[in-house]
Amino acid sequence: MEEPGPEEEKKEEEARFDFLEWIGQDTSAAVFTFLDHPADLARASAVSRSWRRFVLCIGGVVKIEFLGRVQKQEMDDLYYICISHVQIVGIPLPRELGVDPYKNGVVLKYYPDTRRSGVCHGESSGDDGRNSPSKWRNFTTRILHSSSARRLGWNQAILNRLFGAHDASEEEEEET
Amino acid sequence: MATGSGAAAAAADAEEKESGSRMITLTSNEGKAFVVTEASARQSATIRSMVDDGGCVDKGFPLPNVDSKTLARVIQYCDEHGNKEAHTVDERAALAKFDKDFIAELDADKAFLYDVTMAANYLHIQGLFALTTQCIADTIKGKTPEEIRTAFGIEYDLTAQDEEEIKEEDTHA
């Protein structure tokens, strides 16, 4: 890491076109939904740190921040706010993409041929809606039953909450 | 039946003509005023709802998030799509050709492309927003991460750990 000299700074100015930062996350999400080939998503996730964070989201918890919207009710000194619309944009991982535990997190795996079986290939976007739930289920099953996910210390209770308890095995209950 | 729908269509036409003849002023954040037809302005759902809410059509609409250069380009799109008919095959082909040229020009200037995308998002111009976001997506398609970085001028800021992860990702079957 060198200190940026004057020349370097100029370059940086030219380079400030990372549209993720420029157009914001919701618009970027609109861009990424056009990438219907999983290989594009896999490659996009290796572009930069911001792209890695953005492209791949596995599980997790949604946090909603009310920036600049703090409002207290005088009567009881409590905060009230009404959310009329929350949107989380994304597409379930296509079949060719898998997730494997790695070190402290997970990595995105791309299997171009092994599990294609004619599903989801750009042209077949029409049946996406029908296939999505099963794909999602497939993914959750993979992650829930992969023993390495447990080695990683993924909390079963959190996984259950994220994916819905019906996908998890019943006997896990007493562990919590 | 036929006369009924014909009359309805005529009424709709008349309404469209009436609204199309009104002029609306849009003001950029630099204070520059652009006078456009209502039909053109209605391409923007944001302005459309303000107009329909019985808004201040006479006073015009200040657009604090859009600069003059961007607004001029956005209006170019709205004029084409709002003022021209798209009923016949030829007319639709002409519009498609316009879109193609329009986006090709923007594609050459990424910074401007982002500005127009932001404006399209802010003004809720569905067609334009789809056009620009698709264009950005097309730039990503089929490229290696390195090529994507070059195309968008993105700084390489991956850490050694990221690199290791990516290497791990690449070692597929």
Side-chain angles (χ1 to χ4, degrees):
Chain A
M1 294 275 152
E2 304 144 21
E3 281 291 304
E7 214 176 288
E8 205 84 359
E9 257 169 51
K10 203 169 136 229
K11 223 192 281 166
E12 201 185 310
E13 199 159 297
E14 283 168 18
R16 243 183 300 133
F17 287 166
D18 187 348
F19 70 82
L20 263 184
E21 285 159 36
W22 194 307
I23 64 181
Q25 303 219 331
D26 53 342
T27 311
S28 302
V31 170
F32 282 109
T33 52
F34 280 115
L35 295 179
D36 36 25
H37 198 294
D40 285 324
L41 275 181
R43 285 189 293 250
S45 81
V47 166
S48 72
R49 304 209 78 188
S50 56
W51 283 49
R52 275 190 81 68
R53 268 200 306 269
F54 189 80
V55 172
L56 179 62
C57 168
I58 297 157
V61 174
V62 178
K63 179 183 175 193
I64 299 167
E65 288 185 78
F66 300 102
L67 300 168
R69 286 291 310 240
V70 179
Q71 190 178 308
K72 238 183 203 178
Q73 205 71 12
E74 275 185 27
M75 261 170 65
D76 48 13
D77 222 26
L78 292 176
Y79 294 103
Y80 290 89
I81 202 140
C82 170
I83 309 173
S84 63
H85 186 86
V86 172
Q87 192 178 25
I88 298 164
V89 187
I91 38 173
L93 285 177
R95 232 164 234 258
E96 293 91 331
L97 289 182
V99 168
D100 282 337
Y102 181 72
K103 298 255 168 97
N104 293 322
V106 286
V107 291
L108 189 63
K109 291 272 192 178
Y110 176 46
Y111 306 94
D113 302 310
T114 44
R115 51 178 108 174
R116 187 176 290 156
S117 61
V119 189
C120 183
H121 240 278
E123 319 89 69
S124 65
S125 58
D127 56 18
D128 257 359
R130 228 172 349 109
N131 281 332
S132 295
S134 59
K135 263 188 264 167
W136 178 235
R137 202 190 178 90
N138 187 335
F139 162 64
T140 60
T141 322
R142 279 204 320 265
I143 206 162
L144 281 173
H145 293 274
S146 95
S147 53
S148 31
R150 266 171 226 171
R151 258 191 282 124
L152 259 176
W154 282 51
N155 187 322
Q156 196 67 32
I158 292 179
L159 286 175
N160 286 354
R161 194 165 303 163
L162 286 174
F163 300 132
H166 59 279
D167 273 334
S169 31
E170 301 284 325
E171 66 269 18
E172 299 290 342
E173 264 180 10
E174 51 213 42
E175 276 182 28
T176 51
Chain B
M1 192 68 177
T3 49
S5 67
D13 266 0
E15 204 175 293
E16 204 177 298
K17 224 169 257 168
E18 196 220 328
S19 68
S21 63
R22 269 199 292 184
M23 297 305 276
I24 286 180
T25 308
L26 308 175
T27 314
S28 74
N29 63 2
E30 290 138 294
K32 192 170 173 197
F34 293 81
V35 180
V36 300
T37 64
E38 181 170 342
S40 170
R42 289 182 84 84
Q43 290 291 309
S44 155
T46 309
I47 293 172
R48 193 191 315 142
S49 67
M50 285 196 280
V51 171
D52 289 346
D53 285 350
C56 38
V57 176
D58 304 333
K59 277 186 254 152
F61 299 98
L63 304 173
N65 296 348
V66 189
D67 63 32
S68 302
K69 184 187 173 201
T70 310
L71 185 55
R73 186 56 67 95
V74 168
I75 286 173
Q76 202 187 333
Y77 175 92
C78 291
D79 280 349
E80 195 71 21
H81 283 256
N83 297 341
K84 297 213 172 142
E85 310 274 332
H87 299 309
T88 69
V89 176
D90 284 351
E91 282 164 352
R92 261 184 244 130
L95 261 189
K97 164 130 193 357
F98 169 84
D99 281 358
K100 200 168 155 244
D101 297 343
F102 184 86
I103 202 66
E105 225 174 284
L106 280 182
D107 195 23
D109 184 353
K110 286 281 188 292
F112 193 31
L113 173 64
Y114 301 155
D115 285 339
V116 173
T117 308
M118 292 301 282
N121 190 25
Y122 165 65
L123 292 168
H124 287 276
I125 306 167
Q126 205 83 59
L128 181 57
F129 186 68
L131 194 63
T132 54
T133 46
Q134 174 81 63
C135 171
I136 300 175
D138 287 345
T139 311
I140 300 173
K141 278 183 192 168
K143 286 202 170 67
T144 65
E146 181 51 43
E147 285 167 342
I148 296 173
R149 277 192 288 271
T150 311
F152 291 104
I154 296 169
E155 222 177 308
Y156 186 86
D157 62 353
L158 294 170
T159 62
Q161 198 204 329
D162 292 325
E163 277 170 23
E164 214 177 304
E165 275 179 28
I166 291 164
K167 220 180 280 166
E168 176 74 10
E169 285 163 20
D170 276 342
T171 54
H172 56 69

